[in-house]
Amino acid sequence: MTTAARRVFRYVNWTLRPDQDDDAPPLAYAFRCLTLRDDGTECDARSKTSTDPAEPQEWAFGHMREHPDHVSFAEVIERPWVMWRGGAV
Ligand SMILES: [Zn+2]
């Protein structure tokens, strides 16, 4: 004979907010190339992610030196967020 397990869930409110605590991960930056190739697909080359926003910008200059017609980029910014548990519903 088996007995059905019973699980109790407690429902709480959660808030999502940017993590600005002292121990939060830093903002991180990357650049990716938006230039379209002849076949219409994006180049999509991408710099390394860095906490120094100047490094991906330097990568963009290097990428353009290798591919002189690749002049359109997007900056990808990684911002840490955290779930914050509030009181019971
Ligand atoms: Zn490119």
Side-chain angles (χ1 to χ4, degrees):
M1 179 174 157
T2 58
T3 307
R6 188 168 169 202
R7 301 179 73 184
V8 178
F9 295 93
R10 193 173 77 111
Y11 295 96
V12 295
N13 286 321
W14 288 87
T15 302
L16 184 61
R17 63 165 173 80
D19 191 349
Q20 296 175 323
D21 294 347
D22 290 340
D23 61 347
L27 287 176
Y29 308 85
F31 262 52
R32 76 184 174 86
C33 181
L34 298 178
T35 302
L36 296 178
R37 297 189 192 101
D38 291 341
D39 65 1
T41 61
E42 262 184 21
C43 166
D44 214 26
R46 185 182 169 121
S47 73
K48 289 182 180 171
T49 300
S50 173
T51 56
D52 178 356
E55 285 183 17
Q57 293 171 20
E58 290 168 12
W59 171 88
F61 280 101
H63 186 67
M64 189 188 69
R65 277 193 294 275
E66 291 178 31
H67 308 278
D69 57 333
H70 291 204
V71 294
S72 182
F73 298 92
E75 183 180 32
V76 182
I77 300 174
E78 187 176 287
R79 181 188 322 275
W81 284 64
V82 65
M83 286 283 189
W84 191 255
R85 193 163 75 177
V89 173

